[in-house]
Amino acid sequence: MTTATVDAVVIGAGPNGLVAANALADAGWDVLLLEANDVVGGAVSSADVTAPGFHTDMFSAFYPLAAASQVIKNLDLTDHGLTWVQAEKVMAHTLPDGGSAVLERDPASTAAGLETFGKGDGQAWLDMFEGWLRIRDPLLDAMFTPIPPVRAVLKLLGRTKPAGLLDLARLAVLPVRRLGMENFRGVGGPLLLTGNAMHADVPPDAAGSGIFGWLLAMLGQDVGFPVPQGGAQNLAFALQRRFESRGGQVRTGARVSSVLVSGGRARGVRTEDGTAIKATRAVVADVVAPVLYRDLVGLEHVPPKVGESLHRFHWDNPTLKINWALDRPLAWKAAGATGAGTVHFGTDLDGFVDFAADLSVGRQPVHPFVLFGQMTTADPTRSPAGTESTWAYTHVPREMSEDRIRLDEHVRRVESHLEQVAPGFGSSIITRFVQYPNDLEASDANLVNGAINGGTSYPHQQLVFRPIPGLGRPETPIQGLFLASASAHPGGGVHGACGWNAATSALHSQGPLRMVRRQLTGTAWDRLLRS
Ligand SMILES: Cc1cc2nc3c(=O)[nH]c(=O)nc-3n(C[C@H](O)[C@H](O)[C@H](O)COP(=O)(O)OP(=O)(O)OC[C@H]3O[C@@H](n4cnc5c(N)ncnc54)[C@H](O)[C@@H]3O)c2cc1C
């Protein structure tokens, strides 16, 4: 049964699918966005799951990447009902002895705090931040545009000169532990850098973790960790409203079961209820790469090398998320954590390495590293006055991701660590709502076994290796099919770049240079995959 013919179908209304749909609609295309869930947003979603009046962000919650992303900024979402708010302090890392390193809104205040950890560390922070400001714009351009980002790299070179570019290249492979040691005497600066690095899954002593820690910490210093007023869902709703205001159509409760391929070209999609939708120009998939190729397309339609590479696809670690409604704000031992939207705890500086090693060898971490959100602190509309809506997440080894007994024990472990750093926490709990790794996947098919970034952030699956060794671009070996999810370069996080890049590639594939482009990408895929 065919019910529609449109210019483009976008599969999946996560932030990347929503951004892609907006970009295509802006170009005047007739676009249908199909979403499996009953609401749009993917991992940008909120619900009242703990107690009445408490709003919980079910997945992502803090949006420095969105605030810094030119893609999101250009969409003018504030005209579509989005209001950004944020906590008085960006983030804090607390230690059981009551110490804390704090990322304040104001760089001088962050520096003053870090100076108490080591003489000269305050200035080291300010120097690092000044270096960031010098290269921020071309660097973000280089990261968020498709490979090869020639223009952005040339601009970057203009700012840094060759020696600076070499330093940046070194930073790109530096372990965050080493980055901390090279720049700071005390543990304050390294705690901030390492905690931020751990938002990705690269261990602190492994190549590639430094740039994540540096990027997120510098972004935090620059734009803070903002949140959408009223809940993460409001970011997704603003994207939906903008798309619909441009004539785009959203169909929720519509899971795509296959991409229709014939003659090496994507012709449309079929949904689970058997409806076929023709797409005359493009199918843009906000779907993780292994699922897209194996389940929706079918490996028979792609060169055998794609299947072989997918066999080696490296997922990021499973996630265990716990949400609480609290009858009062936390009484942190460390004053620094009061007023911070994000709080990190559970490990000291060496403990990060132990935690990553535990994940790597499949051991249940004794001291889990925990990311904690004080959402009412960040946005007072999240729960009744005098209460706090909170969540925590930590990663668990793949080996225990389905073991309820150990996962429940892990929940208790996280709570007992919280009790140490915020005495009285336990007695403030009104209700708790746990999301096990399987629950995350059940609510968003892209979160396979609780992986939050569409595949690992290790260097072996970044740039031209993302999602599989190839072009590192949104084009796929199937003409007219574009990969828009976080499995594509530049990867996880809510920045919209994967969606934007997929949409612009789709638009270019229909532009005046389409034959040249098709020839170039087609030949490149042939060389890489069919040899
Ligand atoms: C617990 C958690 C915490 C996080 N914290 C942060 C944070 O604080 N800040 C940040 O920037 N990032 C954070 N992230 C990462 C960020 O949320 C993701 O990287 C981002 O949402 C990826 O966007 P996406 O559009 O690629 O995929 P998703 O957001 O996963 O959306 C994919 C959408 O596609 C739909 N879909 C999939 N398959 C189909 C199909 N066959 N048919 C129809 N629809 C389909 C899904 O239902 C879903 O709606 C977090 C993620 C998680 C899980």
Side-chain angles (χ1 to χ4, degrees):
M1 178 176 59
T2 300
T3 58
T5 300
V6 288
D7 291 330
V9 168
V10 177
I11 311 171
N16 283 313
L18 284 160
V19 165
N22 271 282
L24 296 172
D26 284 353
W29 285 23
D30 174 20
V31 186
L32 176 62
L33 174 55
L34 297 173
E35 166 55 47
N37 288 335
D38 292 336
V39 283
V40 302
V44 178
S45 137
S46 341
D48 292 1
V49 289
T50 54
F54 284 74
H55 311 309
T56 296
D57 290 343
M58 300 305 290
F59 313 98
S60 60
F62 291 98
Y63 298 104
L65 290 164
S69 158
Q70 206 53 50
V71 167
I72 303 281
K73 281 197 260 185
N74 288 346
L75 296 175
D76 293 324
L77 295 177
T78 46
D79 294 348
H80 298 272
L82 176 68
T83 305
W84 290 115
V85 291
Q86 56 180 306
E88 170 200 333
K89 297 174 194 166
V90 182
M91 60 143 299
H93 187 113
T94 68
L95 298 167
D97 66 2
S100 64
V102 184
L103 182 49
E104 306 266 3
R105 295 298 314 281
D106 163 40
S109 305
T110 309
L114 295 184
E115 187 66 22
T116 64
F117 286 90
K119 195 165 162 35
D121 282 3
Q123 190 55 47
W125 181 263
L126 294 174
D127 291 346
M128 193 176 262
F129 186 56
E130 198 211 295
W132 156 260
L133 289 179
R134 213 171 29 244
I135 60 169
R136 173 193 57 197
D137 296 338
L139 179 70
L140 290 174
D141 268 3
M143 285 173 50
F144 288 163
T145 44
I147 294 171
V150 179
R151 237 179 301 169
V153 169
L154 288 175
K155 265 199 214 154
L156 198 54
L157 190 59
R159 298 269 172 99
T160 61
K161 310 295 175 235
L165 201 59
L166 210 54
D167 279 347
L168 194 57
R170 180 171 182 272
L171 174 62
V173 289
L174 199 64
V176 72
R177 191 168 166 81
R178 184 72 210 160
L179 178 70
M181 283 163 65
E182 288 180 3
N183 285 277
F184 299 96
R185 288 177 185 216
V187 298
L191 280 173
L192 293 183
L193 292 170
T194 312
N196 277 298
M198 302 294 278
H199 288 235
D201 65 328
V202 186
D205 52 356
S209 54
I211 189 126
F212 281 109
W214 173 80
L215 178 74
L216 210 50
M218 294 300 107
L219 276 175
Q221 188 64 91
D222 196 356
V223 298
F225 279 10
V227 305
Q229 191 173 53
Q233 187 72 56
N234 286 337
L235 170 56
F237 282 158
L239 283 160
Q240 176 179 8
R241 275 194 291 271
R242 188 186 181 284
F243 172 57
E244 288 174 337
S245 73
R246 278 149 174 81
Q249 295 176 66
V250 177
R251 199 173 297 168
T252 54
R255 183 176 298 280
V256 171
S257 52
S258 61
V259 174
L260 305 172
V261 180
S262 70
R265 186 177 173 87
R267 311 278 173 188
V269 301
R270 189 180 300 283
T271 54
E272 248 174 9
D273 66 0
T275 306
I277 296 147
K278 272 196 200 162
T280 52
R281 291 174 153 182
V283 174
V284 174
D286 181 4
V287 176
V288 281
V291 176
L292 175 66
Y293 288 120
R294 285 191 190 129
D295 302 345
L296 300 194
V297 169
L299 291 179
E300 67 279 15
H301 292 295
V302 289
K305 206 140 191 189
V306 173
E308 285 163 27
S309 296
L310 286 174
H311 205 62
R312 299 189 308 228
F313 190 85
H314 182 165
W315 288 106
D316 42 313
N317 295 311
T319 307
L320 174 67
K321 184 163 180 280
I322 314 152
N323 312 279
W324 299 273
L326 304 183
D327 68 9
R328 57 184 181 271
L330 289 101
W332 297 100
K333 252 195 217 167
T338 303
T342 303
V343 183
H344 293 164
F345 65 87
T347 58
D348 58 13
L349 197 54
D350 290 345
F352 282 118
V353 179
D354 297 331
F355 172 68
D358 287 340
L359 294 183
S360 182
V361 302
R363 225 173 9 226
Q364 181 173 0
V366 177
H367 298 287
F369 169 63
V370 181
L371 299 97
F372 184 81
Q374 310 197 82
M375 302 317 294
T376 313
T377 296
D379 170 10
T381 70
R382 301 298 180 94
S383 69
T387 65
E388 190 76 45
S389 175
T390 61
W391 54 256
Y393 77 78
T394 186
H395 295 295
V396 294
R398 198 150 297 283
E399 289 75 358
M400 65 176 271
S401 67
E402 293 183 18
D403 182 339
R404 270 300 168 95
I405 293 173
R406 285 168 81 201
L407 289 168
D408 284 335
E409 192 203 318
H410 218 58
V411 170
R412 289 193 290 277
R413 210 169 273 191
V414 168
E415 290 191 345
S416 103
H417 278 278
L418 248 176
E419 191 66 39
Q420 275 180 44
V421 288
F425 162 76
S427 64
S428 72
I429 300 175
I430 304 171
T431 43
R432 162 195 309 104
F433 181 84
V434 180
Q435 292 166 282
Y436 300 95
N438 287 347
D439 296 332
L440 293 173
E441 182 174 346
S443 350
D444 175 349
N446 280 17
L447 307 177
V448 175
N449 201 12
I452 69 173
N453 283 326
T456 187
S457 303
Y458 273 88
H460 61 256
Q461 207 165 282
Q462 291 285 51
L463 302 169
V464 295
F465 305 120
R466 191 168 190 90
I468 55 171
L471 308 181
R473 291 186 52 87
E475 289 91 351
T476 68
I478 296 181
Q479 252 189 47
L481 176 65
F482 301 86
L483 179 67
S485 71
S487 284
H489 168 73
V494 178
H495 41 66
C498 310
W500 181 261
N501 293 342
T504 40
S505 295
L507 293 171
H508 286 149
S509 75
Q510 301 289 308
L513 294 175
R514 61 183 178 276
M515 293 317 289
V516 180
R517 281 176 184 278
R518 258 182 228 165
Q519 191 67 34
L520 282 174
T521 44
T523 310
W525 276 123
D526 274 351
R527 292 232 167 92
L528 287 164
L529 299 176
R530 290 180 226 272
S531 51

